[in-house]
Amino acid sequence: MNDEIGKRLCKQVFSLWINPEIERRTKENRLPHGFKLLMAQIVMNVGQAPIVRLNDEIKATMVVRVTRNVTPDDNVYLSDFDAIEKISLTDSDPNAAHITMMLHKRRWVISFNFHYNSEKVKAHLEAAHEFLLVAHDCLLNKRFRSFYENLFSAVELTSKSWLLRMPLPTVLKSKNHKHIGNHINNHTRLGNVCENFSKLLNHLTDSRGTARYLDGEFRANEKTCEAMWKTAEQMHEFVRAPGIVNHVSHKGQKPNAGDLVPAQI
């Protein structure tokens, strides 16, 4: 972000969370004498009040640009890096969104990720992938009723994975098929989700009566089923892709000055 946007974001974070937390702790005599704010973190879980952490309470990993040669086991101190490229939550907060700020070289570095429920999203996508594989096997063997049922499970789980990234308490707890479908249709109307994805979920939802429960005559076209499976696969890849950038690792054995390396607070 540019400097102006960064200043506005910083001002809002201080106004909404950090200053009220410092004032509250000051009134309760919970801050050490001579307290100086160096780091702050707002951790947000769906359906819960935000948690505000100050200084050494912060839990985070960072990717920093080191100014000296280091080995994988070295401690990296503030004086050892000149830039912070990324700040992420640790495994202690697997399903939280966050805003993390750190005072470095007299400037506030701000990092944020408003994707919620990362661990839950991963679990749902893994389950969806299993159903996708079974659906493909059913397609190859022309077991079309089973294909429809397994593809429905895959697409609905993928749809829920997309919605779980947002602070939607009802989606987190809901097991209602219609509820998931309504949200995905709304996201399609907003342009957030490809229309083919919502059409596929709607079609599979409407077809379950005949395919799964034998409620009427069931008809399946092999070419149509192949196209449906490809759309479901594309949908799964689309929802999975944003999660890839959340994980940074360094594969080099001896990072040198100027290299990006992970560090943990």
Side-chain angles (χ1 to χ4, degrees):
M1 68 183 83
N2 62 41
D3 285 347
E4 183 60 31
I5 294 175
K7 288 177 182 178
R8 290 181 183 180
L9 175 60
C10 188
K11 184 177 180 180
Q12 287 188 333
V13 173
F14 270 90
S15 175
L16 291 173
W17 293 294
I18 298 175
N19 287 341
E21 180 69 14
I22 291 176
E23 290 172 7
R24 183 177 68 84
R25 296 193 192 193
T26 300
K27 289 179 181 179
E28 297 172 356
N29 294 317
R30 292 178 51 213
L31 290 179
H33 178 70
F35 172 80
K36 292 183 179 180
L37 183 67
L38 301 176
M39 294 180 284
Q41 185 175 65
I42 295 86
V43 179
M44 296 162 280
N45 284 283
V46 178
Q48 301 178 24
I51 299 170
V52 181
R53 297 171 181 161
L54 306 177
N55 290 355
D56 58 358
E57 297 170 355
I58 285 180
K59 300 175 183 177
T61 59
M62 301 190 300
V63 176
V64 300
R65 192 173 300 281
V66 291
T67 55
R68 66 176 178 86
N69 297 349
V70 296
T71 63
D73 295 326
D74 275 357
N75 291 322
V76 179
Y77 301 96
L78 290 174
S79 58
D80 293 330
F81 58 88
D82 61 4
I84 301 171
E85 297 291 327
K86 184 179 178 66
I87 305 176
S88 304
L89 292 176
T90 69
D91 292 339
S92 297
D93 302 292
N95 292 302
H98 79 101
I99 303 173
T100 301
M101 302 175 57
M102 181 177 181
L103 188 60
H104 182 60
K105 296 186 182 296
R106 299 182 180 181
R107 290 172 62 95
W108 282 104
V109 177
I110 308 175
S111 182
F112 56 88
N113 187 335
F114 295 136
H115 281 172
Y116 291 78
N117 298 310
S118 294
E119 189 173 70
K120 292 183 174 66
V121 168
K122 180 181 178 182
H124 279 69
L125 286 173
E126 287 176 351
H129 188 246
E130 287 188 23
F131 282 109
L132 264 179
L133 294 176
V134 174
H136 190 249
D137 182 70
C138 292
L139 176 61
L140 293 177
N141 289 280
K142 296 181 173 51
R143 301 187 182 102
F144 294 115
R145 291 184 186 276
S146 298
F147 168 78
Y148 264 74
E149 182 64 12
N150 281 282
L151 197 68
F152 168 78
S153 296
V155 171
E156 187 183 52
L157 282 166
T158 303
S159 299
K160 189 172 182 180
S161 300
W162 170 261
L163 297 171
L164 281 172
R165 285 204 173 99
M166 302 158 207
L168 301 170
T170 55
V171 171
L172 190 61
K173 299 177 181 179
S174 177
K175 296 182 180 179
N176 187 297
H177 301 305
K178 187 175 181 180
H179 189 67
I180 302 299
N182 287 340
H183 271 290
I184 288 297
N185 288 331
N186 287 337
H187 275 262
T188 298
R189 284 190 284 271
L190 291 170
N192 298 331
V193 175
C194 178
E195 187 176 1
N196 287 343
F197 298 162
S198 60
K199 281 185 176 180
L200 177 59
L201 178 60
N202 293 335
H203 172 67
L204 290 168
T205 301
D206 294 340
S207 301
R208 288 192 82 209
T210 56
R212 171 68 174 81
Y213 299 106
L214 282 70
D215 182 17
E217 183 180 2
F218 172 71
R219 293 183 179 180
N221 179 280
E222 186 172 356
K223 288 186 177 180
T224 300
C225 289
E226 288 176 354
M228 289 164 57
W229 189 85
K230 288 180 180 178
T231 299
E233 189 179 39
Q234 291 169 358
M235 182 179 182
H236 188 272
E237 179 63 23
F238 168 76
V239 176
R240 185 187 69 83
I244 295 173
V245 300
N246 292 335
H247 304 285
V248 179
S249 61
H250 184 81
K251 297 181 179 180
Q253 295 301 309
K254 294 184 65 176
N256 298 316
D259 287 348
L260 293 175
V261 301
Q264 184 161 333
I265 299 173

